[in-house]
Amino acid sequence: MIRQVLDGVLHRVPRDHREPDDAFRRRQQVVGATSVVGGLVLNRTFKQQPNSRSFYAHTAAAAATWVAGGVA
């Protein structure tokens, strides 16, 4: 079972060469930026006191970051 999960996550998907190079690079940049910013916001979330206003605000900000990155 673990092998199946790892194969699904680590399997390299072939690039669609019909996509222009600039669109491919933009997608890579969006994924990288979303990962870094989302990770930083999530890190701040974990440092908040559970069940506090700031915890929920940071949680919402982390969710908004992932959604914005997915839409972009």
Side-chain angles (χ1 to χ4, degrees):
M1 167 139 167
I2 293 175
R3 177 113 173 126
Q4 289 175 326
V5 171
L6 288 177
D7 285 344
V9 171
L10 300 177
H11 177 73
R12 188 175 197 150
V13 177
R15 178 181 170 195
D16 180 7
H17 288 281
R18 295 174 292 181
E19 179 183 42
D21 286 339
D22 57 334
F24 179 71
R25 294 281 177 236
R26 180 184 180 280
R27 189 160 33 93
Q28 285 182 321
Q29 291 170 349
V30 168
V31 168
T34 301
S35 298
V36 170
V37 173
L40 292 172
V41 174
L42 192 60
N43 182 39
R44 293 289 301 163
T45 301
F46 290 147
K47 292 181 179 182
Q48 304 305 313
Q49 186 69 25
N51 213 16
S52 67
R53 276 194 139 158
S54 63
F55 175 79
Y56 289 113
H58 281 85
T59 302
T65 302
W66 300 121
V67 168
V71 170

Coordinates of all heavy atoms in Angstrom, one line a residue:
M1 N 0.8 -1.2 0.0 CA 0.0 0.0 0.0 C 0.9 1.3 0.0 O 0.6 2.2 -0.7 CB -0.9 0.0 1.2 CG -1.5 1.3 1.4 SD -3.2 1.2 1.9 CE -3.5 2.8 2.4
I2 N 1.9 1.3 0.8 CA 2.8 2.5 0.9 C 3.5 2.6 -0.4 O 3.6 3.8 -0.9 CB 3.8 2.3 2.0 CG1 3.0 2.4 3.4 CG2 4.8 3.4 2.0 CD1 3.9 2.1 4.6
R3 N 3.8 1.5 -1.0 CA 4.5 1.6 -2.4 C 3.6 2.3 -3.4 O 4.0 3.1 -4.2 CB 4.9 0.2 -2.8 CG 5.5 0.1 -4.2 CD 6.9 -0.3 -4.0 NE 7.5 -0.5 -5.3 CZ 8.5 0.1 -5.7 NH1 9.2 0.9 -4.9 NH2 9.0 -0.1 -6.9
Q4 N 2.3 1.9 -3.4 CA 1.3 2.5 -4.3 C 1.2 4.0 -4.1 O 1.1 4.8 -5.1 CB 0.0 1.9 -4.2 CG -0.1 0.5 -4.7 CD -1.5 -0.2 -4.4 OE1 -2.1 0.1 -3.4 NE2 -1.9 -1.0 -5.3
V5 N 1.2 4.4 -2.9 CA 1.1 5.9 -2.6 C 2.3 6.6 -3.0 O 2.2 7.6 -3.7 CB 0.8 6.1 -1.0 CG1 1.0 7.6 -0.7 CG2 -0.5 5.5 -0.6
L6 N 3.5 6.0 -2.7 CA 4.7 6.7 -3.2 C 4.8 6.7 -4.7 O 5.3 7.7 -5.2 CB 5.9 5.9 -2.5 CG 6.1 6.1 -1.0 CD1 7.3 5.3 -0.6 CD2 6.4 7.6 -0.7
D7 N 4.4 5.7 -5.3 CA 4.5 5.7 -6.8 C 3.6 6.7 -7.4 O 3.9 7.4 -8.4 CB 4.1 4.3 -7.4 CG 5.2 3.3 -7.2 OD1 6.3 3.6 -7.0 OD2 4.9 2.1 -7.4
G8 N 2.4 6.9 -6.8 CA 1.5 8.0 -7.2 C 2.0 9.4 -7.0 O 1.8 10.3 -7.8
V9 N 2.8 9.6 -5.9 CA 3.3 10.9 -5.6 C 4.6 11.2 -6.3 O 4.8 12.3 -6.8 CB 3.5 11.0 -4.1 CG1 4.2 12.3 -3.7 CG2 2.2 10.9 -3.3
L10 N 5.4 10.2 -6.4 CA 6.8 10.4 -7.0 C 6.8 10.2 -8.5 O 7.9 10.4 -9.1 CB 7.8 9.5 -6.3 CG 7.9 9.7 -4.8 CD1 8.9 8.7 -4.2 CD2 8.4 11.1 -4.5
H11 N 5.8 9.7 -9.1 CA 5.8 9.4 -10.6 C 5.8 10.8 -11.3 O 5.1 11.7 -11.1 CB 4.5 8.7 -11.0 CG 4.4 8.4 -12.4 ND1 5.2 7.5 -13.0 CD2 3.6 8.9 -13.4 CE1 4.9 7.5 -14.3 NE2 4.0 8.3 -14.6
R12 N 6.8 10.8 -12.2 CA 6.9 12.0 -13.0 C 6.0 12.0 -14.2 O 6.0 11.1 -15.0 CB 8.4 12.1 -13.5 CG 8.7 13.4 -14.2 CD 10.1 13.5 -14.6 NE 10.4 14.9 -14.8 CZ 11.6 15.5 -14.6 NH1 12.5 14.8 -14.1 NH2 11.7 16.8 -14.8
V13 N 5.2 13.0 -14.3 CA 4.2 13.1 -15.4 C 4.9 13.8 -16.6 O 5.5 14.8 -16.5 CB 3.0 14.0 -15.0 CG1 2.0 14.1 -16.1 CG2 2.3 13.3 -13.7
P14 N 4.7 13.2 -17.8 CA 5.4 13.8 -19.0 C 4.8 15.2 -19.3 O 3.6 15.4 -19.1 CB 5.1 12.8 -20.1 CG 4.0 11.9 -19.6 CD 4.0 12.0 -18.1
R15 N 5.6 16.1 -19.8 CA 5.2 17.4 -20.1 C 4.4 17.4 -21.4 O 4.7 16.7 -22.3 CB 6.4 18.3 -20.2 CG 6.1 19.7 -20.6 CD 7.3 20.5 -20.8 NE 6.9 21.8 -21.4 CZ 7.7 22.7 -21.9 NH1 9.0 22.4 -22.0 NH2 7.2 23.8 -22.4
D16 N 3.4 18.3 -21.4 CA 2.6 18.5 -22.6 C 3.3 19.5 -23.5 O 3.3 20.7 -23.2 CB 1.2 19.0 -22.3 CG 0.3 19.2 -23.5 OD1 0.8 18.8 -24.6 OD2 -0.8 19.7 -23.3
H17 N 4.0 19.1 -24.5 CA 4.8 20.0 -25.3 C 4.0 20.9 -26.2 O 4.6 21.7 -26.9 CB 5.8 19.2 -26.1 CG 6.9 18.6 -25.3 ND1 8.0 19.3 -24.8 CD2 7.1 17.4 -24.8 CE1 8.7 18.6 -24.1 NE2 8.2 17.4 -24.0
R18 N 2.7 20.7 -26.2 CA 1.9 21.7 -27.0 C 1.7 23.0 -26.2 O 1.3 24.0 -26.8 CB 0.5 21.1 -27.3 CG 0.5 19.9 -28.2 CD -0.8 19.2 -28.3 NE -1.1 18.7 -27.0 CZ -2.2 18.0 -26.7 NH1 -3.2 17.9 -27.6 NH2 -2.4 17.5 -25.5
E19 N 2.0 22.9 -24.9 CA 2.0 24.1 -24.1 C 3.2 25.0 -24.3 O 4.3 24.5 -24.4 CB 1.9 23.7 -22.6 CG 1.9 24.8 -21.6 CD 1.9 24.3 -20.2 OE1 2.7 23.4 -19.9 OE2 1.2 24.8 -19.4
P20 N 3.0 26.3 -24.5 CA 4.2 27.2 -24.7 C 5.1 27.2 -23.5 O 4.7 27.0 -22.4 CB 3.6 28.6 -24.9 CG 2.1 28.4 -25.1 CD 1.8 27.0 -24.5
D21 N 6.4 27.4 -23.8 CA 7.4 27.4 -22.7 C 7.1 28.5 -21.7 O 7.3 28.2 -20.5 CB 8.8 27.7 -23.3 CG 9.3 26.5 -24.1 OD1 8.9 25.4 -23.8 OD2 10.3 26.7 -24.9
D22 N 6.6 29.7 -22.0 CA 6.4 30.7 -21.0 C 5.2 30.3 -20.1 O 5.2 30.6 -18.9 CB 6.1 32.0 -21.7 CG 4.9 32.0 -22.7 OD1 4.7 31.0 -23.2 OD2 4.3 33.1 -22.9
A23 N 4.2 29.6 -20.6 CA 3.1 29.1 -19.8 C 3.6 28.0 -18.8 O 3.2 27.9 -17.6 CB 2.0 28.5 -20.6
F24 N 4.5 27.1 -19.3 CA 5.1 26.1 -18.5 C 5.9 26.7 -17.3 O 5.8 26.3 -16.2 CB 6.0 25.2 -19.3 CG 6.7 24.1 -18.6 CD1 6.0 23.0 -18.1 CD2 8.0 24.1 -18.4 CE1 6.6 22.0 -17.4 CE2 8.7 23.1 -17.7 CZ 8.0 22.1 -17.2
R25 N 6.7 27.7 -17.6 CA 7.6 28.4 -16.6 C 6.7 29.1 -15.6 O 7.0 29.1 -14.4 CB 8.5 29.4 -17.3 CG 9.6 28.7 -18.1 CD 10.7 28.2 -17.3 NE 11.6 27.5 -18.1 CZ 12.0 26.2 -18.0 NH1 11.5 25.5 -17.0 NH2 12.8 25.7 -18.8
R26 N 5.6 29.8 -16.1 CA 4.7 30.5 -15.2 C 4.1 29.5 -14.2 O 4.0 29.8 -13.0 CB 3.6 31.2 -15.9 CG 2.7 31.9 -15.0 CD 1.5 32.6 -15.8 NE 0.6 33.3 -14.9 CZ -0.3 32.7 -14.2 NH1 -0.5 31.4 -14.3 NH2 -1.1 33.4 -13.4
R27 N 3.7 28.3 -14.7 CA 3.1 27.3 -13.8 C 4.1 26.9 -12.8 O 3.7 26.7 -11.6 CB 2.5 26.1 -14.7 CG 1.7 25.2 -13.9 CD 0.8 24.3 -14.7 NE 1.4 23.9 -16.0 CZ 2.1 22.8 -16.2 NH1 2.3 22.0 -15.3 NH2 2.5 22.6 -17.5
Q28 N 5.3 26.7 -13.2 CA 6.3 26.3 -12.2 C 6.5 27.3 -11.2 O 6.7 27.0 -10.0 CB 7.7 26.0 -12.9 CG 7.7 24.7 -13.7 CD 9.1 24.5 -14.3 OE1 9.7 25.4 -14.8 NE2 9.5 23.3 -14.3
Q29 N 6.5 28.6 -11.6 CA 6.7 29.7 -10.6 C 5.6 29.8 -9.7 O 5.8 30.0 -8.5 CB 6.9 31.0 -11.4 CG 8.3 31.0 -12.1 CD 8.3 32.2 -13.1 OE1 7.4 32.9 -13.3 NE2 9.5 32.5 -13.6
V30 N 4.3 29.6 -10.2 CA 3.2 29.7 -9.3 C 3.2 28.6 -8.3 O 2.9 28.8 -7.1 CB 1.9 29.7 -10.1 CG1 0.6 29.5 -9.3 CG2 1.7 31.0 -10.9
V31 N 3.5 27.4 -8.7 CA 3.6 26.3 -7.8 C 4.7 26.5 -6.7 O 4.4 26.3 -5.5 CB 3.9 24.9 -8.5 CG1 4.2 23.8 -7.6 CG2 2.7 24.6 -9.4
G32 N 5.8 27.0 -7.1 CA 6.9 27.3 -6.2 C 6.5 28.3 -5.2 O 6.7 28.2 -4.0
A33 N 6.0 29.4 -5.7 CA 5.6 30.5 -4.8 C 4.5 30.1 -3.8 O 4.5 30.5 -2.6 CB 5.1 31.8 -5.6
T34 N 3.5 29.4 -4.3 CA 2.4 28.9 -3.5 C 2.9 28.0 -2.4 O 2.5 28.1 -1.2 CB 1.3 28.2 -4.3 OG1 0.8 29.1 -5.3 CG2 0.2 27.7 -3.5
S35 N 3.8 27.1 -2.7 CA 4.4 26.2 -1.8 C 5.1 27.0 -0.7 O 5.0 26.7 0.5 CB 5.3 25.2 -2.4 OG 4.6 24.4 -3.4
V36 N 6.0 27.9 -1.0 CA 6.8 28.6 0.0 C 5.9 29.5 0.8 O 5.9 29.4 2.1 CB 7.8 29.5 -0.7 CG1 8.5 30.5 0.2 CG2 8.9 28.6 -1.4
V37 N 5.0 30.3 0.2 CA 4.1 31.2 1.0 C 3.2 30.4 1.9 O 3.0 30.7 3.0 CB 3.4 32.2 0.1 CG1 2.4 33.0 0.9 CG2 4.4 33.1 -0.6
G38 N 2.6 29.4 1.3 CA 1.7 28.5 2.0 C 2.3 27.8 3.2 O 1.8 27.7 4.3
G39 N 3.6 27.4 3.0 CA 4.3 26.8 4.1 C 4.6 27.8 5.2 O 4.6 27.4 6.4
L40 N 5.0 29.0 4.8 CA 5.3 30.0 5.8 C 4.0 30.4 6.7 O 4.1 30.5 7.9 CB 5.9 31.3 5.2 CG 7.3 31.1 4.6 CD1 7.6 32.3 3.8 CD2 8.3 30.8 5.7
V41 N 2.9 30.5 6.0 CA 1.7 30.8 6.7 C 1.3 29.7 7.6 O 0.8 29.9 8.7 CB 0.6 31.2 5.7 CG1 -0.8 31.4 6.4 CG2 0.9 32.4 4.9
L42 N 1.4 28.5 7.1 CA 1.1 27.3 7.9 C 2.0 27.2 9.1 O 1.5 26.9 10.2 CB 1.2 26.0 7.0 CG 0.6 24.8 7.6 CD1 -0.9 24.9 7.9 CD2 0.8 23.6 6.7
N43 N 3.2 27.5 9.0 CA 4.2 27.5 10.1 C 3.7 28.5 11.2 O 3.7 28.2 12.4 CB 5.6 27.9 9.6 CG 6.6 27.9 10.7 OD1 6.5 27.0 11.6 ND2 7.5 28.8 10.7
R44 N 3.3 29.7 10.7 CA 2.8 30.7 11.7 C 1.5 30.2 12.3 O 1.2 30.5 13.5 CB 2.5 32.1 10.9 CG 3.7 32.8 10.4 CD 4.6 33.3 11.5 NE 3.8 34.3 12.3 CZ 4.1 34.7 13.5 NH1 5.2 34.3 14.1 NH2 3.3 35.6 14.2
T45 N 0.7 29.5 11.6 CA -0.6 29.0 12.2 C -0.3 28.0 13.3 O -0.9 28.1 14.4 CB -1.4 28.2 11.1 OG1 -1.7 29.1 10.0 CG2 -2.7 27.6 11.6
F46 N 0.7 27.2 13.1 CA 1.1 26.2 14.2 C 1.6 26.9 15.4 O 1.7 26.3 16.5 CB 2.0 25.2 13.7 CG 1.4 24.2 12.7 CD1 2.2 23.7 11.7 CD2 0.1 23.8 12.8 CE1 1.7 22.8 10.7 CE2 -0.4 23.0 11.8 CZ 0.3 22.5 10.8
K47 N 2.1 28.1 15.3 CA 2.7 28.8 16.5 C 1.6 29.6 17.3 O 1.9 30.1 18.3 CB 3.7 29.8 16.0 CG 5.0 29.1 15.5 CD 6.0 30.0 15.0 CE 7.2 29.3 14.5 NZ 8.3 30.2 14.1
Q48 N 0.4 29.6 16.8 CA -0.7 30.3 17.5 C -1.3 29.4 18.6 O -1.3 28.2 18.5 CB -1.8 30.7 16.5 CG -1.3 31.6 15.4 CD -0.5 32.8 15.8 OE1 -1.0 33.5 16.7 NE2 0.6 33.0 15.2
Q49 N -1.9 30.0 19.5 CA -2.6 29.3 20.6 C -3.9 28.7 20.0 O -4.7 29.4 19.3 CB -3.0 30.3 21.7 CG -3.6 29.6 22.9 CD -2.6 28.8 23.7 OE1 -1.4 29.0 23.6 NE2 -3.1 27.8 24.4
P50 N -4.1 27.4 20.1 CA -5.3 26.8 19.6 C -6.6 27.4 20.1 O -6.6 27.8 21.3 CB -5.2 25.3 20.0 CG -3.7 25.1 20.3 CD -3.2 26.4 20.8
N51 N -7.6 27.5 19.3 CA -8.9 28.0 19.6 C -8.9 29.5 19.9 O -9.8 30.0 20.6 CB -9.4 27.2 20.8 CG -11.0 27.1 20.7 OD1 -11.5 27.3 19.7 ND2 -11.6 26.8 21.9
S52 N -7.9 30.2 19.4 CA -7.8 31.6 19.5 C -8.2 32.3 18.2 O -8.2 31.6 17.2 CB -6.4 32.1 19.9 OG -5.5 31.9 18.9
R53 N -8.5 33.6 18.3 CA -8.9 34.3 17.0 C -7.7 34.3 16.0 O -7.9 34.1 14.8 CB -9.2 35.7 17.3 CG -10.6 35.9 17.8 CD -10.9 37.4 17.7 NE -12.2 37.6 17.2 CZ -12.9 38.6 17.4 NH1 -12.5 39.6 18.0 NH2 -14.2 38.6 16.9
S54 N -6.5 34.5 16.5 CA -5.3 34.5 15.6 C -5.1 33.1 14.9 O -4.7 33.1 13.8 CB -4.1 35.0 16.3 OG -3.7 34.1 17.3
F55 N -5.4 32.1 15.7 CA -5.3 30.7 15.1 C -6.2 30.6 13.9 O -5.8 30.1 12.8 CB -5.6 29.7 16.1 CG -5.6 28.3 15.6 CD1 -4.4 27.6 15.4 CD2 -6.8 27.6 15.3 CE1 -4.4 26.3 14.9 CE2 -6.8 26.3 14.8 CZ -5.6 25.7 14.6
Y56 N -7.5 31.0 14.1 CA -8.5 30.8 13.0 C -8.1 31.8 11.8 O -8.3 31.4 10.7 CB -9.9 31.1 13.5 CG -10.3 29.9 14.4 CD1 -10.5 30.1 15.8 CD2 -10.5 28.7 13.9 CE1 -10.9 29.0 16.6 CE2 -10.9 27.6 14.7 CZ -11.1 27.8 16.0 OH -11.5 26.7 16.8
A57 N -7.6 33.0 12.1 CA -7.3 33.9 11.1 C -6.1 33.3 10.3 O -6.1 33.4 9.0 CB -6.9 35.3 11.7
H58 N -5.1 32.8 10.9 CA -4.0 32.2 10.2 C -4.4 31.0 9.4 O -3.9 30.7 8.3 CB -2.9 31.9 11.2 CG -2.0 33.0 11.6 ND1 -2.4 33.9 12.6 CD2 -0.9 33.5 11.1 CE1 -1.5 34.8 12.8 NE2 -0.6 34.7 11.9
T59 N -5.3 30.2 10.0 CA -5.8 29.0 9.3 C -6.5 29.4 8.0 O -6.4 28.8 6.9 CB -6.7 28.2 10.2 OG1 -6.0 27.8 11.4 CG2 -7.2 26.9 9.5
A60 N -7.4 30.5 8.1 CA -8.1 31.0 6.9 C -7.1 31.5 5.9 O -7.3 31.3 4.7 CB -9.1 32.0 7.4
A61 N -6.1 32.2 6.4 CA -5.1 32.7 5.5 C -4.3 31.6 4.7 O -4.0 31.7 3.5 CB -4.1 33.6 6.2
A62 N -4.0 30.5 5.5 CA -3.3 29.4 4.8 C -4.2 28.8 3.8 O -3.8 28.5 2.6 CB -3.0 28.3 5.9
A63 N -5.5 28.6 4.1 CA -6.4 28.0 3.1 C -6.6 28.9 1.9 O -6.6 28.5 0.8 CB -7.8 27.8 3.8
A64 N -6.7 30.2 2.1 CA -6.8 31.2 1.0 C -5.5 31.1 0.1 O -5.7 31.3 -1.1 CB -7.0 32.6 1.6
T65 N -4.4 31.0 0.8 CA -3.1 30.9 0.0 C -3.2 29.7 -1.0 O -2.9 29.8 -2.1 CB -1.9 30.7 0.9 OG1 -1.9 31.9 1.8 CG2 -0.6 30.7 0.1
W66 N -3.6 28.5 -0.4 CA -3.6 27.3 -1.3 C -4.7 27.4 -2.4 O -4.5 27.0 -3.5 CB -3.9 26.1 -0.4 CG -2.9 25.8 0.6 CD1 -3.1 25.7 2.0 CD2 -1.5 25.6 0.5 NE1 -1.9 25.5 2.6 CE2 -0.9 25.4 1.7 CE3 -0.7 25.5 -0.6 CZ2 0.4 25.1 1.9 CZ3 0.7 25.3 -0.4 CH2 1.2 25.1 0.8
V67 N -5.8 28.0 -2.1 CA -6.9 28.2 -3.1 C -6.4 29.2 -4.1 O -6.6 28.9 -5.3 CB -8.2 28.7 -2.4 CG1 -9.2 29.1 -3.4 CG2 -8.8 27.6 -1.5
A68 N -5.8 30.3 -3.7 CA -5.3 31.3 -4.7 C -4.3 30.6 -5.6 O -4.3 30.9 -6.8 CB -4.8 32.5 -4.0
G69 N -3.4 29.9 -5.0 CA -2.4 29.2 -5.9 C -3.0 28.2 -6.8 O -2.5 28.1 -8.0
G70 N -4.0 27.5 -6.4 CA -4.6 26.5 -7.2 C -5.4 27.2 -8.4 O -5.4 26.7 -9.5
V71 N -6.0 28.3 -8.1 CA -6.7 29.1 -9.2 C -5.7 29.7 -10.1 O -5.9 29.7 -11.4 CB -7.6 30.1 -8.5 CG1 -8.2 31.1 -9.6 CG2 -8.7 29.5 -7.8
A72 N -4.6 30.2 -9.6 CA -3.6 30.8 -10.5 C -2.9 29.8 -11.4 O -2.6 30.1 -12.5 CB -2.6 31.6 -9.6

